[in-house]
Amino acid sequence: MSANQVQPKLIIHGGAGGHIKSEQGEAKVRQALHNIVTEVYELLSLGGSAVDAVVLGCQLLENQPTFNAGTGSVLQSDGQIRMSAALMDGAKQRFSGIINVSRVRHPIELAQYLQGEEDRVLSDYGASELLRELNVPIYDPLVEIRLQEWMQERDENFDKSMAAVVAEEALVHEPRQGTIGVVALDNLGKVCAGTSTGGKGLERIGRVSDSAMPAGNYADAAAGVSCTGIGEDIMDECLAAKIVIRVTDGMSLPEAMEKSMKESRSRKRDLGAIAIAADGTICWGKTSEVILAAYYDGEKIGDTINWNNQDLIGCS
Ligand code: GLY
């Protein structure tokens, strides 16, 4: 590492919600998150950019059927999968996103493509047109357990308002909410944030997730944040943008995260966030019971899977 380079940092998440109650489910989530952190950090340590690291991390998380993004996305009320994703390049302070896209393996790649376009957020019909224009192969992200989950909900008259955070046999009736996200700081000190989701699950057709809004995914030169939890709660707090702007205006990341989480808890929001500041601080926060995150601070891998105490934030 040369004198003007900084130590890269990385944090990823696979959703927030209730505790994972089976040891098998917990081990599977931990293994998946640690493998992905290791692979993405390798790219950063070889000089890869924060943007490339975030896109790779989101692709790997979208590939994991366990998480609610890409393959393994939840079904909406009509039994269809519609996914949303956003990318924000902090150095350029540029947001791009795709809303309610279907039949694609990697929604994050569409968000990445839109970084270079004049029209940078596309939804439904426009997203399908873009897939056609780019000749992206048709892909069905449905996994059996999500279909079973939806059919079970249908048999119970859809009395739940959303689907499970992770797709595990033993977990279908346990934790709820899910999204994936990645925040990276590269060796040039640049920050990027990316988020991808299948939505809440069981929602009305046309409902728009926070994940492809600055409320759910935001970055500038000072910090980057990716959120998870109930999208409407995240929008009401404008959480990602609020944390980033607090850091930009001079608060430390731990102070900004803690203040934002205290406010969220006082309004009974159900959410979580991961973040990195340009000074290298990694933070996570939650009002949910648990946030499924893992990070690499340059020395060690850590995770928050058993971090289910009453603390609102943690940092490394
Ligand atoms: N945070 C994901 C969603 O509510 O759609």
Side-chain angles (χ1 to χ4, degrees):
M1 205 162 58
S2 72
N4 55 357
Q5 288 185 339
V6 302
Q7 177 78 58
K9 306 278 174 158
L10 177 68
I11 185 162
I12 68 174
H13 72 76
H19 304 303
I20 299 177
K21 287 176 188 143
S22 81
E23 275 178 29
Q24 194 193 356
E26 196 174 284
K28 194 168 174 179
V29 168
R30 177 172 287 113
Q31 188 68 54
L33 291 177
H34 283 219
N35 288 348
I36 292 169
V37 160
T38 305
E39 188 170 340
V40 178
Y41 196 82
E42 174 79 8
L43 175 72
L44 283 169
S45 63
L46 292 171
S49 72
V51 172
D52 287 346
V54 167
V55 172
L56 175 64
C58 289
Q59 288 167 327
L60 295 171
L61 287 158
E62 285 173 345
N63 280 346
Q64 276 287 331
T66 308
F67 302 122
N68 174 21
T71 304
S73 285
V74 297
L75 279 62
Q76 300 195 336
S77 55
D78 62 344
Q80 299 298 310
I81 292 175
R82 297 179 187 86
M83 300 164 286
S84 300
L87 187 67
M88 187 139 186
D89 180 342
K92 294 182 178 152
Q93 206 173 320
R94 182 178 294 166
F95 182 94
S96 58
I98 199 89
I99 295 172
N100 287 332
V101 67
S102 298
R103 303 208 293 170
V104 64
R105 188 186 291 266
H106 289 301
I108 193 68
E109 290 176 2
L110 298 174
Q112 183 186 25
Y113 174 82
L114 290 169
Q115 277 279 309
E117 294 293 290
E118 209 167 306
D119 300 323
R120 279 190 268 116
V121 183
L122 294 184
S123 70
D124 317 80
Y125 181 68
S128 311
E129 283 297 298
L130 182 66
L131 288 176
R132 248 193 301 277
E133 200 179 302
L134 299 177
N135 281 319
V136 178
I138 289 173
Y139 176 77
D140 183 0
L142 180 66
V143 297
E144 180 62 26
I145 195 160
R146 291 299 192 186
L147 180 60
Q148 282 173 21
E149 180 182 47
W150 184 85
M151 286 175 17
Q152 203 166 333
E153 298 295 343
R154 186 187 58 177
D155 292 345
E156 291 165 11
N157 267 333
F158 296 109
D159 64 348
K160 301 218 170 46
S161 57
M162 62 189 78
V165 64
V166 288
E168 284 297 322
E169 207 75 60
L171 299 180
V172 164
H173 278 303
E174 293 186 7
R176 310 216 147 246
Q177 304 134 38
T179 292
I180 65 90
V182 181
V183 184
L185 173 74
D186 65 26
N187 66 7
L188 298 177
K190 294 181 175 175
V191 181
C192 180
T195 306
S196 182
T197 189
K200 281 197 293 195
L202 313 176
E203 64 267 71
R204 293 176 75 118
I205 304 167
R207 182 253 181 191
V208 174
S209 167
D210 64 289
S211 300
M213 295 183 188
N217 189 80
Y218 199 77
D220 67 8
V225 174
S226 166
C227 298
T228 173
I230 296 179
E232 285 70 8
D233 286 0
I234 295 165
M235 293 173 210
D236 288 347
E237 293 297 320
C238 200
L239 188 64
K242 180 162 70 176
I243 296 169
V244 168
I245 290 164
R246 282 179 164 159
V247 175
T248 309
D249 285 350
M251 261 188 200
S252 71
L253 179 58
E255 283 169 342
M257 182 69 84
E258 182 151 35
K259 184 170 170 60
S260 305
M261 288 298 155
K262 274 187 180 154
E263 289 167 351
S264 296
R265 185 171 60 183
S266 74
R267 290 187 273 266
K268 300 192 174 11
R269 311 293 193 202
D270 191 352
L271 47 74
I274 58 169
I276 298 181
D279 68 4
T281 310
I282 301 176
C283 271
W284 52 92
K286 60 160 174 69
T287 61
S288 313
E289 280 179 41
V290 76
I291 180 166
L292 306 175
Y295 57 89
Y296 202 133
D297 61 10
E299 284 173 12
K300 60 179 188 315
I301 292 186
D303 69 60
T304 67
I305 293 162
N306 290 123
W307 181 63
N308 50 21
N309 54 31
Q310 291 306 303
D311 292 348
L312 283 173
I313 74 154
C315 293
S316 178

